[in-house]
Amino acid sequence: MILVLLSFSTASALDGDCQALSDQYLDKHHKEASPHTGKNMVYFLHVPRTAGRTLHSCFLKTGTPPRDRCPKAYDHLRINVTVPQCRLLSSHDDFSVVSMLTEDVAVLTHLRDPVDRVVSAYEFAVEVSARMLNRPRNFKKRGDKIATEDVWPWSYLVPFFVQDLRARVRAVKSVPQPETGNWIYVESPEGERFYYNRIRNVSKWNLTAEEEALRLPELNQYDNELVMPLKDFVAHPIAKELIHNGAAFQVLGITNYSHWGDAGRMRGCVWDDTATHAHLLGVAQRRVQRFMHVGTTDRLSESVSSAAAALHMDLESPGYGGDEENTAVRVAESQAADISALDLPVLAKVVRTKRIALQSSQKELYTASQDPKLDVEVDELKRTVNEARVELREAQTPNATRPHRTAGATSCPCSVVSLRLTCSLPVLTQDLSEVRFACDTPPPTAPNSPIPVRVHIFLTLTSAHTSTDPVLSALSLGVSYQQCAQRAQARSAQRRDQSLTSLSMPDGRVVAFSKQARRGIDPAVVLAIKAQNQLDTALHHVGLSMLDTHRAEFLTAGTLKDMAPIAPLKLPMMEPRKNRFQIPRPEAEQGSDEL
């Protein structure tokens, strides 16, 4: 599948006139972002690896009442803008999705220095792939959760890296180790540095001359036998297809995840035709200048305060609790899930049928979009595709909202009764990630029933807070954002560390990405990244300039409030390596002879 996409986007540009294709593209896809009025929809165009998840989860959501948040939309099938008062939508879609949204949609995005973004994408793809390699064979994904490897562009990159990693790890482990072992230099979580021999499981502060001859250099995190070297990834066609100039392609709406059928040909023209490259760079620069806000990852705190001013959010006022999945829409969907486990095969067949129907309508739309004479038919096919998405989403809802069977549970012949419970919604956890509620009525059993009873429970969430009276946090929006961001960074570090521990050499050296390790990246690789990301480099400069301009305007208007930094949170997950650092400390005191 990936090879088809790669060959299509690079070769297709040679088949026609790029100038004509560019003119046609601009004529067909002319909708632009609208100014923010405070009442229109806001779409966050999430460019991967730009701290977009932190921005959305910790700031945009916390600053938006739950009733105004659109359902999660990190794949095509989940885009649902029919929810009443849905005013905040975020996804990895490119700008082509704007054609599906309301006429007056406002858009904001975050950009990042392309060198940092490419390296971050490489690191994250390796991390997720390492995590997948460690999954047990009987691992099953939860039907109501979106796994990282199912979200674009990781849905392409992760399988690619998993296949590559599996072969490399197997090859490394097949190399026999010397009986004497080798010495490596390690650092404990407490900051102590010493030497370690994995084969002998011995640690020392100092080495003899003979042992020094067996000492290995520190592992180059971006060029080693365990992982595809960064330089090879940068030069690989999959990076060109998915990562290089990715921000510009998202702004232009021509990623390989685009809703527009001519996106692949346009990408090919951008890469192969100098005039088209320059022309569409200008289009991208003018387009982002119409966005209500453009922030940058390298100036994240300033970007958040500028976004707050643009969105008329007061960083000193309380933020909102709750979650879009706890709105009336989600409750209604759960109430609609009146199904038995015995119906699951039938439901699975319905889902497959709906998915095939969607894929078929998407192919028809793509074919028609290649012919400029079929604009009327294209509009009709767009409606058909949207209807197919809704039908598939509705077919998936009963499966996604069913409770999951616990390990070892078995199915049985059952009777079916219905029960309606009323539950309280009294407590929001501190990180706003969980709502805890209690139900006051236990499930009954059917009278005189000789066999077990399966009960369908309809949960009606009630609270002192109604949909027009949202839950308010005890903390200000600015403090809530900073605490949430710290927790997110800690969880991310912990998960990265857990995932990468499996990528170790037989001698004990491990893959461990860090800011310090990035400083050792070969300058030639950095130059190669810059050469492949000229569009993104130029667009990032525009973003920095826009941020300066907007902040100056808000400062003059008296609406800009920068956040006062908060103290670092003391979280157990901040020190993820301590519990898993298994290398013994040298027995002798530091500085002793040890001989």
Side-chain angles (χ1 to χ4, degrees):
M1 179 177 175
I2 294 175
L3 292 178
V4 173
L5 288 168
L6 292 173
S7 61
F8 172 74
S9 64
T10 54
S12 58
L14 306 178
D15 298 336
D17 183 352
C18 283
Q19 179 62 53
L21 182 63
S22 180
D23 293 341
Q24 177 184 330
Y25 159 81
L26 294 174
D27 182 60
K28 289 176 64 177
H29 310 307
H30 53 75
K31 183 178 178 181
E32 297 293 346
S34 297
H36 180 239
T37 64
K39 297 181 179 180
N40 55 338
M41 174 183 283
V42 173
Y43 173 56
F44 175 47
L45 192 154
H46 182 176
V47 178
R49 309 313 296 168
T50 59
R53 184 173 183 178
T54 298
L55 181 74
H56 176 247
S57 299
C58 298
F59 170 68
L60 294 175
K61 282 177 58 177
T62 308
T64 303
R67 66 176 180 271
D68 291 344
R69 304 172 192 165
C70 304
K72 293 179 180 178
Y74 274 83
D75 59 49
H76 279 336
L77 304 180
R78 294 174 186 259
I79 291 178
N80 180 9
V81 295
T82 62
V83 178
Q85 292 186 302
C86 169
R87 291 180 181 171
L88 173 64
L89 176 67
S90 173
S91 80
H92 276 318
D93 286 88
D94 60 27
F95 193 80
S96 65
V97 76
V98 170
S99 62
M100 301 170 55
L101 305 180
T102 57
E103 286 301 319
D104 60 344
V105 60
V107 180
L108 71 155
T109 193
H110 259 227
L111 303 173
R112 187 176 186 179
D113 180 275
V115 173
D116 292 335
R117 199 179 80 84
V118 170
V119 173
S120 178
Y122 167 83
E123 294 174 345
F124 188 66
V126 171
E127 173 195 332
V128 177
S129 302
R131 190 156 60 239
M132 288 187 65
L133 284 180
N134 288 329
R135 286 177 178 172
R137 292 187 176 183
N138 61 349
F139 175 83
K140 292 184 178 179
K141 297 178 184 178
R142 288 186 55 178
D144 60 340
K145 296 291 184 181
I146 304 177
T148 300
E149 64 269 20
D150 294 332
V151 177
W152 181 90
W154 318 116
S155 53
Y156 293 98
L157 283 172
V158 171
F160 170 80
F161 270 98
V162 166
Q163 183 178 5
D164 184 76
L165 272 177
R166 185 176 286 116
R168 290 175 183 270
V169 170
R170 189 183 300 118
V172 167
K173 290 184 177 181
S174 67
V175 177
Q177 297 298 300
E179 292 183 2
T180 58
N182 290 297
W183 293 91
I184 62 173
Y185 204 31
V186 299
E187 181 176 351
S188 72
E190 292 78 18
E192 292 183 318
R193 293 179 67 87
F194 49 86
Y195 300 98
Y196 175 63
N197 188 311
R198 188 174 191 177
I199 299 298
R200 295 170 53 190
N201 195 31
V202 173
S203 297
K204 286 189 171 186
W205 296 113
N206 304 294
L207 298 180
T208 65
E210 183 179 355
E211 291 169 336
E212 187 70 31
L214 297 174
R215 184 164 71 91
L216 297 174
E218 293 189 21
L219 192 69
N220 186 327
Q221 303 299 326
Y222 301 95
D223 189 3
N224 58 71
E225 297 92 337
L226 279 169
V227 181
M228 172 181 282
L230 176 60
K231 64 178 184 297
D232 293 350
F233 172 69
V234 170
H236 199 282
I238 198 169
K240 184 176 181 180
E241 180 74 356
L242 296 168
I243 301 299
H244 295 325
N245 286 324
F249 287 157
Q250 273 190 260
V251 168
L252 291 167
I254 59 173
T255 67
N256 74 340
Y257 195 55
S258 177
H259 294 266
W260 296 334
D262 51 7
R265 296 174 63 196
M266 283 307 308
R267 286 198 310 280
C269 280
V270 171
W271 286 116
D272 297 337
D273 184 72
T274 304
T276 304
H277 184 281
H279 183 201
L280 289 192
L281 171 59
V283 172
Q285 291 172 324
R286 290 189 295 273
R287 176 164 288 167
V288 296
Q289 288 173 348
R290 299 189 62 161
F291 288 4
M292 61 166 293
H293 165 77
V294 176
T296 63
T297 311
D298 36 342
R299 294 171 59 185
L300 187 57
S301 180
E302 294 175 88
S303 296
V304 169
S305 57
S306 181
L311 289 162
H312 312 300
M313 293 180 180
D314 187 354
L315 291 170
E316 297 176 353
S317 295
Y320 293 99
D323 186 80
E324 69 271 18
E325 292 189 356
N326 296 320
T327 61
V329 174
R330 299 301 300 175
V331 173
E333 289 180 349
S334 65
Q335 290 177 344
D338 185 12
I339 61 173
S340 167
L342 303 178
D343 299 326
L344 289 179
V346 176
L347 289 168
K349 183 177 181 179
V350 171
V351 170
R352 285 195 299 271
T353 302
K354 298 298 184 183
R355 182 177 287 113
I356 292 172
L358 173 59
Q359 291 171 343
S360 176
S361 60
Q362 286 175 322
K363 289 179 181 178
E364 292 179 10
L365 173 59
Y366 167 72
T367 302
S369 67
Q370 305 306 301
D371 189 344
K373 299 178 181 178
L374 299 178
D375 282 344
V376 176
E377 184 176 342
V378 166
D379 291 338
E380 180 61 33
L381 286 172
K382 285 182 180 178
R383 285 191 289 271
T384 302
V385 168
N386 291 337
E387 291 171 359
R389 284 196 179 97
V390 172
E391 291 179 3
L392 176 57
R393 185 165 54 245
E394 291 175 348
Q396 290 173 320
T397 296
N399 286 316
T401 54
R402 276 197 58 77
H404 293 279
R405 182 180 298 173
T406 57
T410 57
S411 60
C412 63
C414 300
S415 299
V416 178
V417 297
S418 292
L419 175 70
R420 185 174 297 275
L421 298 181
T422 300
C423 301
S424 62
L425 178 59
V427 180
L428 276 171
T429 56
Q430 185 178 6
D431 62 359
L432 307 180
S433 64
E434 180 183 0
V435 178
R436 298 175 180 173
F437 58 89
C439 299
D440 55 10
T441 305
T445 57
N448 303 321
S449 175
I451 57 178
V453 175
R454 188 180 306 280
V455 179
H456 299 307
I457 299 177
F458 295 79
L459 298 180
T460 303
L461 303 182
T462 60
S463 170
H465 301 282
T466 67
S467 60
T468 57
D469 182 22
V471 180
L472 292 176
S473 168
L475 303 174
S476 69
L477 175 57
V479 172
S480 293
Y481 160 75
Q482 292 181 79
Q483 289 191 359
C484 176
Q486 286 189 26
R487 285 190 293 268
Q489 291 170 359
R491 285 193 296 267
S492 177
Q494 182 183 45
R495 199 170 193 187
R496 180 180 64 247
D497 187 56
Q498 289 174 337
S499 300
L500 295 179
T501 51
S502 63
L503 297 181
S504 64
M505 302 288 287
D507 52 56
R509 292 178 297 171
V510 298
V511 173
F513 298 129
S514 65
K515 291 182 179 178
Q516 181 178 354
R518 287 188 182 188
R519 299 188 186 103
I521 294 176
D522 187 344
V525 177
V526 174
L527 290 176
I529 295 174
K530 291 181 177 180
Q532 293 277 16
N533 289 271
Q534 296 178 24
L535 291 177
D536 274 14
T537 299
L539 204 60
H540 179 242
H541 289 159
V542 172
L544 290 170
S545 176
M546 288 181 63
L547 179 60
D548 286 334
T549 299
H550 288 167
R551 284 181 58 82
E553 293 173 350
F554 294 140
L555 185 62
T556 300
T559 57
L560 182 68
K561 296 180 180 179
D562 284 322
M563 296 175 289
I566 64 171
L569 298 178
K570 295 182 179 180
L571 300 173
M573 62 181 66
M574 288 289 191
E575 300 175 306
R577 295 184 61 223
K578 285 191 175 181
N579 295 332
R580 292 188 301 281
F581 190 77
Q582 302 298 323
I583 297 177
R585 188 176 184 271
E587 293 182 1
E589 289 300 321
Q590 189 170 3
S592 64
D593 198 339
E594 289 188 316
L595 296 178

PDB file of all heavy atoms in Angstrom, residues 305 542 592:
ATOM      1  N   SER A 305      -0.499  32.064  25.126  1.00  0.00           N
ATOM      2  CA  SER A 305      -1.076  33.338  25.569  1.00  0.00           C
ATOM      3  C   SER A 305      -1.621  34.135  24.393  1.00  0.00           C
ATOM      4  O   SER A 305      -2.654  34.808  24.504  1.00  0.00           O
ATOM      5  CB  SER A 305      -0.034  34.155  26.338  1.00  0.00           C
ATOM      6  OG  SER A 305       1.111  34.389  25.550  1.00  0.00           O
ATOM      7  N   VAL A 542       7.216  32.389   8.546  1.00  0.00           N
ATOM      8  CA  VAL A 542       5.965  33.158   8.508  1.00  0.00           C
ATOM      9  C   VAL A 542       5.243  33.036   9.841  1.00  0.00           C
ATOM     10  O   VAL A 542       4.714  34.021  10.378  1.00  0.00           O
ATOM     11  CB  VAL A 542       5.060  32.672   7.358  1.00  0.00           C
ATOM     12  CG1 VAL A 542       3.678  33.328   7.444  1.00  0.00           C
ATOM     13  CG2 VAL A 542       5.693  32.982   6.009  1.00  0.00           C
ATOM     14  N   SER A 592      38.159   4.355  44.945  1.00  0.00           N
ATOM     15  CA  SER A 592      39.053   3.350  45.515  1.00  0.00           C
ATOM     16  C   SER A 592      39.758   2.586  44.416  1.00  0.00           C
ATOM     17  O   SER A 592      39.408   2.674  43.246  1.00  0.00           O
ATOM     18  CB  SER A 592      38.258   2.397  46.408  1.00  0.00           C
ATOM     19  OG  SER A 592      37.317   1.676  45.641  1.00  0.00           O
TER      20      SER A 592
END
